[in-house]
Amino acid sequence: MTQIPFSRPFTVGKEFQYIQQTIENMDLSGDGAITHKCHQLLEESLGVPKILLTTSCTHALEMAALLLNIKPGDEVIVPSFTFVSTVNAFVLRGAKPVFIDIRPDTLNLNEEKLESLITPRTQAIIPVHYAGVACEMDAILDIAKGDNLAVIEDNAHGLFARYKGKYLGTMGCLGTQSFHETKNFTCGEGGALLINDPQYIERAEIIREKGTNRSRFYRGQVDKYSWMDIGSSYLPSGILAAFLYAQLEAREQIQHKRQRIWEYYYRNLRDRATQWGIRLPVVPEYCEQAYHMFYILLPSYEERKALISHFKERGISSVFHYLPLHLSKMGQDFGGKEGDCPVTESVSDRLLRLPFYNSLTEADQRRVIAAMEEFYAARS
Ligand SMILES: *Cc1c(COP(=O)(O)O)cnc(C)c1O
């Protein structure tokens, strides 16, 4: 029995060629020609004034916290249902995370709860576009504007997805992307900072270059470079950029594959979902999603556990997702307690992600569906 993993990295074919060229060109450190090609491709396709590749989405979020001058005592509003980096980046600067619950439909932060969590210390709201389906950005941006708060979109799942025609990651003052192996487009480890508000461009370049104005020096805008501000090293090597460029060039092919995989699951589960008592992903009609994952919501933790082991016996790997951050050790240290985010707590226990990767075949997917048919036939 061949195994169907949950996730599997994908190469489009040109990665080696571009890496070889990069080595021949001695373009090994960050911000050489191949990095600029990635910046240009992303800036042009998303219509963003400035995009900088980073070593990870985590680091892009850390840059965002530095750019906003987040300091001890500040508060940031973040969903409890997310990856730790969304929160850690701000906690590293001394901020207190204020956890917000999610909407039961899209599993994105519930914008109706925002007002009640905003205090005079609130500096920013961090929407996470879960599964590459947009948060309710009109409402979020409206509230943020009224209270003079920054909006930073953690768009690790949603590159090239849209909300009412606008690309995710391009609506807040800053957006972040991940090119980790598990994301739609990858170079193993990598990320990007989308700088939508041009007032942050100059300082972002400095922070990313160890606090120096080396970027301006390379462009011939100053005759020497020196220490200008705090900063760190957030530039990926040209070799990683070369790998990424091959993937970004193939973006339509990759997204097309993922769309077909998502739609196959949806088509084959739609009619049985009610009978089986499972809930499928909700994608509002004004959202063009990124096809990052396919999840189902089961009625209980026990049933999820049973289905995971049923899959496992048939060589299929399925996985749950985020544990509520407000109930983690760190979250509790910040005052989080059970009942703070009831939808997050319930969803976290019941959500299951089905195998999803670019090279997943229809035959593999048929096996996943057949395993589910067997599971529910035995239970009815
Ligand atoms: C993957 C992920 C990150 C972290 O990305 P890295 O590139 O691994 O740092 C952050 N936020 C979310 C929502 C993610 O899924």
Side-chain angles (χ1 to χ4, degrees), residues 56-58 82-83 85-86 128 154 156-157 178 180 183 189-190 322:
S56 63
C57 181
T58 302
T82 184
F83 188 62
S85 295
T86 319
V128 177
D154 179 344
H157 300 178
S178 174
H180 183 261
K183 304 303 200 288
E189 298 277 358
Y322 306 128

Side-chain angles (χ1 to χ4, degrees), residues 159-175:
L159 185 56
F160 302 124
R162 296 189 217 216
Y163 167 79
K164 301 184 182 174
K166 297 185 193 116
Y167 284 112
L168 307 194
T170 70
M171 292 171 277
C173 61
L174 300 164

Side-chain angles (χ1 to χ4, degrees), residues 175 184 186:
N184 292 23
T186 184

Side-chain angles (χ1 to χ4, degrees), residues 264-323:
Y264 184 91
Y265 277 138
Y266 195 79
R267 240 191 354 264
N268 283 278
L269 293 173
R270 190 178 41 200
D271 297 337
R272 287 173 271 194
T274 315
Q275 181 197 339
W276 290 352
I278 62 175
R279 211 211 77 188
L280 302 186
V282 174
V283 184
E285 40 86 17
Y286 46 84
C287 293
E288 291 165 52
Q289 63 153 321
Y291 305 103
H292 176 58
M293 71 169 86
F294 195 95
Y295 66 81
I296 57 172
L297 280 174
L298 295 139
S300 68
Y301 175 81
E302 289 70 31
E303 189 166 316
R304 180 178 74 178
K305 204 169 149 199
L307 182 57
I308 291 174
S309 56
H310 176 87
F311 274 140
K312 198 170 169 202
E313 283 159 20
R314 283 149 190 82
I316 298 165
S317 170
S318 61
V319 294
F320 51 86
H321 211 184
Y322 306 128
L323 300 175

Side-chain angles (χ1 to χ4, degrees), residues 236-249:
S237 151
I239 296 187
L240 288 175
F243 194 108
L244 182 65
Y245 191 69
Q247 300 240 327
L248 292 176
E249 257 190 346

